[in-house]
């Protein structure tokens, strides 16, 4: 993805959510990683170029990190808006208003369920709970969110 395309996507997310997407600190970079992952899960074309692995704080793409580290300071704020499906924006605004811990929880459940199709809900949540006990209070809420938006492979 070009720098201009990534900056435009992040600018759009910032505008719609009221949150910063400048990659200037860890919390904002986590927000970027999980947001792009959820855009990819929805089939948003520009996000599909990134591969995500399972890392300490949920799905993470080294290529995405490399791309946002190349952005000049202020590039996101100065970028024009990207064309994005309204459904994708609604989903992300809903997730973003719940905070980074929620984003991490939802993205982690989504990644694990995608890689373990056919597993039962209880198995998926138990795995995430075991791997990341701090996310336990948000598991049910994140599951319901993913179900609402049709982002649980094999659970439609």
């Amino acid at each position: 993805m070009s720098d201009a395309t990534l900056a435009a996507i992040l600018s759009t997310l910032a505008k719609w959510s009221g949150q910063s997407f400048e990659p200037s600190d860890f919390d904002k970079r986590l927000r970027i990683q999980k947001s792009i992952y959820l855009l990819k899960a929805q089939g948003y074309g520009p996000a599909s170029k990134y591969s995500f692995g399972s890392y300490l704080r949920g799905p993470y793409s080294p290529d995405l990190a490399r791309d946002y580290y190349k952005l000049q300071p202020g590039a996101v704020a100065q970028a024009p808006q990207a064309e994005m499906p309204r459904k994708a924006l609604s989903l992300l605004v809903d997730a973003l208003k719940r905070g980074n811990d929620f984003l991490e929880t939802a993205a982690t459940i989504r990644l694990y369920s995608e890689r373990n199709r056919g597993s039962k809900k209880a198995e998926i949540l138990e795995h995430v709970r075991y791997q990341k006990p701090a996310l336990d209070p948000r598991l049910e809420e994140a599951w319901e969110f993913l179900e609402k938006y049709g982002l649980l492979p094999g659970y439609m």
Side-chain angles (χ1 to χ4, degrees):
M1 177 182 312
S2 74
D3 293 356
T5 301
L6 179 59
I9 291 168
L10 298 179
S11 176
T12 302
L13 295 176
K15 177 186 177 211
W16 283 85
S17 70
Q19 297 185 37
S20 174
F21 278 80
E22 294 285 347
S24 57
D25 63 47
F26 178 81
D27 286 339
K28 293 171 189 166
R29 291 188 299 269
L30 184 138
R31 186 178 305 134
I32 292 168
Q33 287 280 340
K34 303 325 168 229
S35 294
I36 298 296
Y37 174 77
L38 290 174
L39 283 171
K40 179 180 178 169
Q42 295 178 80
Y44 180 61
S48 65
K49 85 164 243 180
Y50 295 111
S51 295
F52 288 83
S54 183
Y55 285 80
L56 181 62
R57 297 292 303 263
Y60 177 82
S61 171
D63 291 335
L64 174 57
R66 187 172 25 261
D67 286 353
Y68 59 65
Y69 280 126
K70 288 191 301 186
L71 295 175
Q72 297 297 316
V76 172
Q78 297 170 12
Q81 302 297 293
E83 290 294 322
M84 297 178 81
R86 182 73 62 176
K87 180 182 176 188
L89 284 170
S90 295
L91 178 149
L92 282 170
V93 168
D94 187 5
L96 289 162
K97 72 181 178 184
R98 300 176 197 221
N100 279 3
D101 60 334
F102 179 82
L103 278 172
E104 180 183 348
T105 305
T108 300
I109 290 171
R110 171 66 169 73
L111 181 68
Y112 188 76
S113 68
E114 181 180 33
R115 292 183 174 174
N116 295 279
R117 291 179 191 260
S119 294
K120 294 180 166 87
K121 174 185 175 182
E123 294 169 333
I124 292 169
L125 295 184
E126 187 54 38
H127 174 80
V128 175
R129 184 177 290 116
Y130 176 76
Q131 294 291 319
K132 300 175 180 223
L135 301 181
D136 185 43
R138 306 301 297 266
L139 290 175
E140 286 295 333
E141 176 189 8
W143 183 275
E144 290 172 14
F145 169 87
L146 293 167
E147 268 188 328
K148 173 183 174 182
Y149 288 104
L151 291 178
L152 287 169
Y155 295 93
M156 307 308 151

